[in-house]
Amino acid sequence: MKRIEIIDGLRGWLLISMVLSHLVFPQGFWLLSLHFRSVMFTESAQAFVFVSGLVFGLVGQRRLSQRGYPFLQGMAKQRIWQLWRYCLGLLAVIFLMRLALPDGGDIFKNWTGTAEPWDPWRTIALLGLVYQPTFADILPMYILFIAASVPALRLVDQGRWKTVMAASALLWLSVQLKVWVYPEVALDWIFGASDGQGLRMAFHPFGWQLLFMGGLVIGAQLSRGALNVAAIPPQRAAFWAAIATGVLLLMLPLRVLSANVPMPEAFYHVFRVIENRRALGPLFVISFAAVGYLVAWLLVYGRYSRLPVVGHVGRGLAQMMQWRPAVMMGQHSLQTYVWHVPLVYLAFYFSQQLGPLGQVGMTVTAVVVYALLPLPALWRSHQLAPNSQKKSA
């Protein structure tokens, strides 16, 4: 299987897991206990951002080498324009549902705010993408990331990838140190609407860019041939896989206890700093580095392991990445991501309107959402098929 197909399959599975974590019901839903975030400080969104950076690094570096820097700039501008249009279209759908559905304003008030979309400051904030309703918060970050990726790729192409990662790490550190608090307060005041909200972001872009830039550098280095995974001695790769496993096992009790047991107040003040999801706190960075390396090792080396259990896991994971619906959704990840937002909004709406659904009702709702999820990818695959056939002919 080609490398890009593995990445497409991974991205598709990340979208599937993201939908599961975005299904919000009044009662606890049994399927959520199967999500990997239950046992680690790693979530679908973090992996999705990293993989998006990886793909942009792979593709962007190839375009830079073949067609030059001006072409890369044009490609990035087109992508930014596309993302902005998708963002505005998604926002229009969200607020249309809030206005059109009975009791929509009350049901969605915690997800969209209570200010009307024609409130002038809310309108400006929405157009500027500084006010982001729930689950509509990844794409605005991508616009910033792609704008920064063009000069970053040029530096990587010049062999200065350490400069890129050092700048990215410093920017991430500035978020951990609350350097941007006062500008954020100012923006919140400037764009404040009738509900008192101006700036609303689930993810701080200056913190989360560390994932995107990390993926970008790895993808660009792979594309340049400067990083050859197959050249890493299997023993050394297995050693670091054991270290990554140890890190995750060490963090497992903390993850389980922090989610289910009240913490002592003294420890909680420290924990909430290192586990700050919005800022991508250190716990999330460490956990993702371990998970990312372990998954990559299982895909590259794990299937050939002499340990039967590891071999089965590695081969099973590789087969999962080849599942066609996941590959197809990964190939059309932008459309699938945008489509999933109104689906989970509607699932939440009907769960509120119909009252407690029970485990059976929630399961049926989830099945319906997942049945509808691949529709944009299917449609786009069908639309693009004639063009690909013409090119092959």
Side-chain angles (χ1 to χ4, degrees):
M1 184 170 59
K2 295 179 180 178
R3 180 172 62 199
I4 198 68
E5 289 182 344
I6 294 177
I7 296 172
D8 285 335
L10 176 59
R11 194 153 50 165
W13 276 108
L14 290 173
L15 284 165
I16 291 170
S17 65
M18 186 184 296
V19 170
L20 177 59
S21 63
H22 289 176
L23 286 172
V24 180
F25 297 108
Q27 317 100 308
F29 183 31
W30 70 273
L31 264 178
L32 285 175
S33 62
L34 303 180
H35 197 287
F36 54 81
R37 71 175 183 179
S38 302
V39 294
M40 60 183 67
F41 292 98
T42 299
E43 301 173 347
S44 312
Q46 294 142 21
F48 191 71
V49 171
F50 174 83
V51 172
S52 298
L54 181 70
V55 172
F56 196 86
L58 283 166
V59 176
Q61 177 61 43
R62 193 179 307 129
R63 297 291 185 269
L64 179 61
S65 300
Q66 294 173 349
R67 301 198 176 188
Y69 191 69
F71 181 86
L72 180 63
Q73 288 178 309
M75 186 183 80
K77 288 177 182 178
Q78 289 180 359
R79 187 62 170 174
I80 289 171
W81 171 234
Q82 181 190 41
L83 288 172
W84 188 69
R85 286 185 285 120
Y86 269 88
C87 285
L88 294 188
L90 178 58
L91 291 173
V93 170
I94 289 173
F95 280 96
L96 183 61
M97 287 193 297
R98 197 188 84 173
L99 294 171
L101 294 173
D103 302 319
D106 185 56
I107 290 175
F108 293 135
K109 65 182 179 182
N110 292 330
W111 288 14
T112 65
T114 57
E116 300 298 344
W118 50 81
D119 180 312
W121 287 111
R122 180 54 44 82
T123 302
I124 295 171
L126 289 170
L127 291 174
L129 304 181
V130 297
Y131 187 88
Q132 301 160 12
T134 299
F135 305 141
D137 33 35
I138 286 184
L139 297 186
M141 283 197 306
Y142 279 10
I143 292 176
L144 296 176
F145 296 166
I146 291 175
S149 293
V150 176
L153 276 175
R154 185 179 225 175
L155 290 172
V156 175
D157 189 56
Q158 295 169 351
R160 299 166 62 186
W161 65 270
K162 292 181 182 178
T163 302
V164 174
M165 289 312 304
S168 178
L170 285 173
L171 192 56
W172 172 82
L173 183 60
S174 71
V175 178
Q176 313 310 310
L177 298 177
K178 310 293 185 184
V179 171
W180 302 98
V181 167
Y182 291 110
E184 289 175 33
V185 170
L187 286 172
D188 189 57
W189 177 78
I190 291 170
F191 293 105
S194 57
D195 59 3
Q197 298 184 74
L199 177 69
R200 173 174 167 150
M201 298 178 177
F203 312 115
H204 200 300
F206 294 164
W208 281 65
Q209 55 76 31
L210 184 68
L211 295 171
F212 192 92
M213 286 299 168
L216 179 106
V217 168
I218 293 174
Q221 292 289 80
L222 286 170
S223 183
R224 292 175 67 231
L227 177 61
N228 185 4
V229 177
I232 301 173
Q235 295 83 359
R236 182 184 298 177
F239 169 77
W240 286 109
I243 295 294
T245 303
V247 169
L248 293 175
L249 290 174
L250 186 66
M251 299 174 76
L252 175 61
L254 181 60
R255 179 68 187 98
V256 174
L257 290 174
S258 63
N260 299 286
V261 179
M263 288 186 177
E265 186 174 352
F267 179 69
Y268 174 73
H269 290 302
V270 176
F271 179 75
R272 71 175 184 176
V273 172
I274 61 175
E275 195 255 352
N276 187 336
R277 180 176 181 266
R278 181 176 183 269
L280 192 70
L283 274 182
F284 289 106
V285 174
I286 296 169
S287 177
F288 180 78
V291 172
Y293 181 86
L294 193 57
V295 170
W297 179 81
L298 284 169
L299 286 171
V300 177
Y301 294 101
R303 68 181 83 178
Y304 308 114
S305 174
R306 288 177 294 181
L307 296 175
V309 174
V310 176
H312 285 309
V313 172
R315 288 187 291 273
L317 189 61
Q319 289 176 354
M320 281 180 61
M321 298 305 110
Q322 299 178 58
W323 190 50
R324 289 310 303 170
V327 172
M328 185 174 57
M329 286 189 285
Q331 291 170 340
H332 306 287
S333 59
L334 173 59
Q335 292 76 22
T336 304
Y337 172 82
V338 171
W339 171 239
H340 103 277
V341 177
L343 288 181
V344 296
Y345 266 71
L346 288 173
F348 177 70
Y349 174 80
F350 285 113
S351 70
Q352 294 288 323
Q353 284 288 73
L354 299 177
L357 297 177
Q359 293 299 326
V360 174
M362 289 186 286
T363 303
V364 170
T365 302
V367 169
V368 171
V369 169
Y370 277 119
L372 296 173
L373 185 63
L375 290 183
L378 282 168
W379 181 79
R380 281 184 58 82
S381 297
H382 178 72
Q383 292 292 109
L384 295 175
N387 294 331
S388 62
Q389 290 174 1
K390 288 179 183 178
K391 289 181 180 180
S392 61

